[in-house]
Amino acid sequence: MKKNLLISLKLTLVMIVLCAVLYPLLIAGIGKATPGGGKGETVSVNGKIVGYEKIGQKFTDDKYFWGRPSAVDYNAAGSAGSNKGPSNPDYLQTVKDRIDSFLVHNPGIKKEEIPAEMVTASGSGLDPDISPAGAYIQVKRIAAVRNLPEEKIKALVEGHIQKPLAGILGPLKVNVLKLNIALDTQK
Amino acid sequence: MNSEILGVVITFLVTVLLAYPLGKYIAKVFKGERTLTDFMNPVEKFFFRVCGINPHETMNWKQFLKAMLTINMLWLVYAFFLLIFQHKLPLNPDGNPGQTPDLAFNTAISFLVNCNLQHYSGESGLTYFTQLFVITFLQFVSAATGIAALVAVFNGLKEKTTQNLGNFWVIFTKSITRVLLPLCIIAAIFLAFNGSPTSYDGKDNLVTLQGDSVQVSRGPAAGMIAIKHLGTNGGGWFGANSAHPLENPNYFTNMLEMVIQVLIPIALIFALGFYINRRKLSKVIFGVMTIGLLCLLIPTIISEINGSPAIEKLGVLQSTGAMEGKEVRFGPAASGYWSIVTTIISTGSVNSMHDSSMPMSGMMQLLGMMINAFYGGCGVGILNYLIYLIIAVFIAGLMVGRTPEFMGHKVEAREVKIAALVMLLSAFLVKTFTALAAYMVAHHPDIAWQVKPGAWLNNPSYHGFSEMLYEFTSSNANNGSGFEGLGDNNIFWNVTTGIVLILARFLPIIGPVAIIGLLAKKKFVPESPGTLRTDSWTFGMMTFAVIVVFNALSFFPALALGPLAEYFSMY
């Protein structure tokens, strides 16, 4: 018993050094060579950091493409989903309200055209992407607000569709922040 | 949609293709044969010398378990105190507070037992110090404990008659230096280059394009994300776990994380065959487990891709399937696949919120954890399967009227009793505690606790019941995922799940190791034409039937009150 305890103590110390000190330090060292230097990749406009490429941010202004609803209001220091069950009546009412609000802000759009992801909350509350359909459906509104031709905005969306992995694996997506930054440069 | 199905199929194929050679390698490592990682030999020798370990010492099953339990209890005390006093320790750039004693009790046990149930949120509930010195550390050593217990069983099965199950300290150390650490370094590098943070910097402050001020949590996460999957641990660096864009940045990392969490469990099945030289047995076990996986996986993916009937009624387009709680970059197929692999093995990390899954998927996730032996967690999956197998041997023996035998040893009353007790334990723990929680919610919703039972549930009705059932099923399976709507950071949930966790970890390890220890001591009975062959497909199906019948009898009533009732109310 005493022998076991003594070995346990020493082996624990050895493993702490190996797994909790050396291993993370090694990865941190290697991480310095990555694109974001291990601190996360940021996106800048005119030299000013406006966000992290992979972390979604809140867009409520009609002149920007919106991202998905977020259960934590895009709080990047407290990620979470809504955890609402599919049969919860309050939740279904929330989705209904989101649909109504979407229709008010996007005149000329029919309910059947709204993709579900635009009215349901993401898993992290920080989803940086929407589907191509989710972007196309906002083109009309943005064109009207910005006084730009619809065709031009549509082409912009098209240029921002990210292909699946290796061209064949996984869904198509559009990064909302990058799309909006490009949108700001349109005249 | 086809590119999503293809993504899932490729992920599974890659996993199996990598697991086979890895299994061969693991068998070699523990047999002491020459391997690529022999450069670690001097390092290990140094460790043994420093720690006073005699690597040539052999252990019988009791000595083996004593060594294992001693070091585990030490880790429990160590983790508990670090979590309570984390605010006084270094590496806390965000100034997060210490954990309350009941939360620290739960967290320490949860990570000790390879479960990683989290009643806190990573961004605010831990410091970088405890993320590394408690969480990451326990993720390594708890996985190595599971592997060590399994290798003890391998040793018992390998010899005709033996008392020697190997040296716990040696097997444990090699599990880390030869298996977990090298694989983690590779995986962490991939994660880092795809955007998971690695630096020790604290939160970042910035102003968004639209002009909002936000804070962004970061930290040295990549290394932890690697071990949380390779060690089938599952606890997230961030609150949203692998749904978080920094914890799982893109479809490639999603595939990577799905592959590496199943990798070691499948590799260990192949390692069994190589180690005891019975490859056919490995193949049959792998086959049975894969059939089990498919039975749970296919209905899940179909129901997620088809979307929610309730959302359908609201009239919007569900071309991308059920999206509540899911991320666009993964889509419903990969999210469904993840939700099943993470529950059949005991990872419990999530890339979508299980609480928002369709009722059919929720039921499959629950079943995956209830059975807990289709691949299963690092090491312990096969141990759980062994329990079902012993029961199947016993029943088959009764059916043909022969004394049951397993691997040339007579299975007698003592072994069957241990197996039956371990098997019944899970049903007992899950149902008793769920009933207790449901009773509190129904009859004492207003007790003056910090969080009143009436406020525990985030969803009403059947789904609310499922939240409680899921929490205890997950604790019992040492899984760690949750229907996270449950308000679980309070004394009731912290203490009850803590108790379930520790019982459901160590008894199902002690049971199989004891059974094999007892069997291996017995006289070897050579195979004869009358022997029931445990490596035949017929016997594999027999084991599968035992798994199905036992779990159906144990859990059907509970499932009927939760996900099944919800399913029929929606469709």
Side-chain angles (χ1 to χ4, degrees):
Chain A
M1 184 65 208
K2 205 176 137 198
K3 188 180 146 217
N4 274 344
L5 200 58
L6 207 63
I7 294 178
S8 297
L9 268 171
K10 290 180 189 166
L11 191 56
T12 300
L13 284 175
V14 167
M15 288 304 163
I16 288 172
V17 173
L18 188 66
C19 304
V21 180
L22 296 179
Y23 168 62
L25 282 176
L26 171 73
I27 303 301
I30 296 171
K32 286 205 168 39
T34 63
K39 301 177 181 183
E41 279 170 79
T42 51
V43 183
S44 301
V45 173
N46 302 327
K48 190 175 146 274
I49 293 175
V50 293
Y52 282 73
E53 184 190 322
K54 298 194 164 68
I55 296 187
Q57 47 185 250
K58 191 165 75 176
F59 287 107
T60 43
D61 206 321
D62 274 350
K63 70 177 184 178
Y64 283 122
F65 282 96
W66 299 339
R68 299 184 57 194
S70 163
V72 292
D73 203 24
Y74 284 98
N75 173 9
S79 60
S82 73
N83 288 310
K84 294 294 182 192
S87 62
N88 185 336
D90 294 342
Y91 158 66
L92 293 169
Q93 186 58 47
T94 308
V95 175
K96 212 165 165 227
D97 295 342
R98 286 185 193 137
I99 296 171
D100 293 343
S101 153
F102 195 92
L103 290 173
V104 170
H105 285 269
N106 291 275
I109 295 294
K110 288 201 278 298
K111 196 155 78 169
E112 305 83 73
E113 296 171 295
I114 306 175
E117 98 257 5
M118 295 307 296
V119 290
T120 51
S122 61
S124 60
L126 302 171
D127 197 338
D129 306 306
I130 52 179
S131 71
Y136 282 131
I137 198 166
Q138 303 182 54
V139 165
K140 203 174 232 173
R141 178 192 81 228
I142 287 167
V145 173
R146 295 203 173 228
N147 227 344
L148 288 165
E150 271 183 43
E151 288 314 309
K152 203 169 173 182
I153 311 259
K154 227 178 183 169
L156 191 71
V157 171
E158 223 167 83
H160 275 82
I161 296 176
Q162 296 174 16
K163 295 263 162 352
L165 178 65
I168 46 167
L169 305 173
L172 295 167
K173 60 190 169 55
V174 177
N175 183 304
V176 181
L177 177 60
K178 282 185 181 167
L179 178 61
N180 279 331
I181 290 172
L183 185 63
D184 271 347
T185 63
Q186 299 290 310
K187 290 202 183 85
Chain B
M1 198 58 78
N2 282 333
S3 65
E4 292 189 38
I5 301 284
L6 189 65
V8 169
V9 174
I10 300 273
T11 304
F12 182 73
L13 292 180
V14 168
T15 313
V16 178
L17 283 178
L18 291 175
Y20 190 80
L22 180 64
K24 207 170 189 174
Y25 163 78
I26 291 176
K28 275 187 182 174
V29 164
F30 291 113
K31 270 187 185 173
E33 292 173 9
R34 283 165 62 99
T35 57
L36 275 175
T37 50
D38 281 348
F39 62 87
M40 290 301 286
N41 255 331
V43 180
E44 286 153 6
K45 274 194 188 135
F46 171 72
F47 287 175
F48 296 150
R49 206 175 57 235
V50 171
C51 301
I53 296 165
N54 171 10
H56 304 294
E57 186 192 358
T58 61
M59 295 183 179
N60 67 26
W61 69 271
K62 282 183 189 162
Q63 292 165 325
F64 192 96
L65 287 174
K66 265 185 207 158
M68 187 193 89
L69 293 173
T70 308
I71 199 167
N72 269 268
M73 290 311 119
L74 181 70
W75 295 333
L76 178 60
V77 177
Y78 159 82
F80 178 75
F81 284 104
L82 248 56
L83 290 167
I84 289 187
F85 295 113
Q86 61 180 3
H87 55 295
K88 305 207 164 135
L89 296 166
L91 287 180
N92 186 10
D94 300 340
N96 290 337
Q99 291 199 350
T100 58
D102 58 310
L103 178 60
F105 169 77
N106 188 278
T107 309
I109 290 184
S110 165
F111 282 84
L112 174 76
V113 304
N114 199 253
C115 174
N116 299 202
L117 201 65
Q118 294 171 293
H119 288 177
Y120 61 87
S121 204
E123 293 96 334
S124 53
L126 292 174
T127 65
Y128 290 174
F129 190 85
T130 43
Q131 288 272 28
L132 299 173
F133 282 78
V134 175
I135 303 304
T136 307
F137 167 72
L138 287 178
Q139 287 178 331
F140 271 102
V141 295
S142 64
T145 300
I147 296 175
L150 181 66
V151 174
V153 166
F154 286 2
N155 283 329
L157 294 174
K158 197 175 76 164
E159 304 294 335
K160 285 186 175 162
T161 300
T162 183
Q163 295 255 34
N164 173 19
L165 294 193
N167 184 316
F168 172 78
W169 310 118
V170 174
I171 304 172
F172 166 80
T173 305
K174 284 192 171 181
S175 302
I176 291 179
T177 53
R178 302 298 184 99
V179 183
L180 293 168
L181 200 57
L183 289 172
C184 279
I185 292 174
I186 299 170
I189 291 173
F190 274 116
L191 286 163
F193 276 91
N194 278 280
S196 286
T198 55
S199 91
Y200 289 68
D201 291 310
K203 278 180 205 163
D204 195 9
N205 291 289
L206 59 87
V207 178
T208 67
L209 192 60
Q210 192 183 267
D212 303 308
S213 294
V214 291
Q215 289 190 313
V216 180
S217 287
R218 300 179 295 184
M224 186 265 207
I225 303 167
I227 182 60
K228 89 172 194 196
H229 286 116
L230 279 159
T232 65
N233 296 283
W237 184 277
F238 300 102
N241 208 304
S242 280
H244 194 289
L246 294 182
E247 194 147 346
N248 191 357
N250 54 40
Y251 198 80
F252 171 76
T253 57
N254 192 55
M255 283 178 76
L256 175 75
E257 290 177 27
M258 292 196 291
V259 167
I260 62 177
Q261 62 180 297
V262 202
L263 188 59
I264 293 180
I266 296 186
L268 287 171
I269 303 169
F270 294 130
L272 168 74
F274 290 117
Y275 199 87
I276 65 170
N277 218 357
R278 280 179 185 258
R279 292 187 209 173
K280 177 100 190 284
L281 179 69
S282 267
K283 269 188 209 153
V284 172
I285 294 178
F286 175 70
V288 171
M289 290 178 169
T290 305
I291 292 169
L293 162 74
L294 293 175
C295 289
L296 299 173
L297 180 63
I298 293 169
T300 302
I301 291 191
I302 292 175
S303 72
E304 294 302 324
I305 283 181
N306 284 342
S308 161
I311 300 281
E312 193 84 52
K313 279 188 200 130
L314 297 178
V316 293
L317 180 70
Q318 283 200 95
S319 57
T320 49
M323 286 306 287
E324 181 72 33
K326 292 196 185 61
E327 301 281 297
V328 169
R329 64 191 180 285
F330 310 140
S335 300
Y337 178 85
W338 183 305
S339 79
I340 293 304
V341 293
T342 196
T343 44
I344 58 168
I345 59 171
S346 72
T347 317
S349 64
V350 297
N351 77 343
S352 69
M353 295 301 129
H354 290 188
D355 214 345
S356 303
S357 302
M358 293 300 104
M360 177 60 78
S361 320
M363 184 164 85
M364 295 300 153
Q365 293 154 9
L366 279 163
L367 272 171
M369 295 187 291
M370 286 162 175
I371 294 164
N372 204 19
F374 292 151
Y375 307 143
C378 254
V380 292
I382 302 178
L383 297 185
N384 292 336
Y385 188 85
L386 193 68
I387 294 291
Y388 289 117
L389 197 144
I390 295 287
I391 298 288
V393 164
F394 174 64
I395 293 174
L398 289 182
M399 285 161 77
V400 295
R402 267 204 191 85
T403 318
E405 279 169 26
F406 178 56
M407 302 288 208
H409 301 286
K410 282 201 166 67
V411 178
E412 290 169 303
R414 198 161 165 205
E415 292 86 50
V416 176
K417 270 186 208 158
I418 298 174
L421 280 176
V422 170
M423 200 156 146
L424 291 172
L425 177 78
S426 68
F428 172 77
L429 289 176
V430 170
K431 288 191 289 190
T432 310
F433 280 98
T434 308
L436 179 66
Y439 175 81
M440 299 311 291
V441 170
H443 294 282
H444 301 286
D446 294 318
I447 294 187
W449 288 346
Q450 194 188 358
V451 182
K452 291 178 183 172
W456 283 347
L457 306 177
N458 189 33
N459 291 289
S461 186
Y462 311 123
H463 197 88
F465 177 78
S466 300
E467 287 184 335
M468 295 186 282
L469 177 65
Y470 196 106
E471 187 74 1
F472 283 117
T473 307
S474 172
S475 307
N476 176 66
N478 286 177
N479 183 276
S481 63
F483 275 12
E484 290 298 341
L486 183 73
D488 49 18
N489 183 12
N490 54 69
I491 193 132
F492 177 88
W493 289 98
N494 283 337
V495 172
T496 52
T497 55
I499 294 168
V500 173
L501 282 167
I502 206 155
L503 290 176
R505 164 74 168 182
F506 291 107
L507 295 180
I509 287 184
I510 294 171
V513 173
I515 289 175
I516 295 302
L518 291 169
L519 282 183
K521 261 197 319 202
K522 291 183 191 181
K523 213 172 105 236
F524 185 75
V525 192
E527 274 185 15
S528 69
T531 307
L532 176 79
R533 293 193 64 97
T534 42
D535 58 0
S536 67
W537 286 102
T538 317
F539 184 75
M541 285 302 111
M542 174 84 196
T543 316
F544 188 75
V546 166
I547 293 174
V548 171
V549 170
F550 173 77
N551 285 289
L553 289 174
S554 299
F555 295 114
F556 181 76
L559 292 172
L561 291 173
L564 273 178
E566 190 183 18
Y567 178 87
F568 287 113
S569 73
M570 282 179 75
Y571 285 82

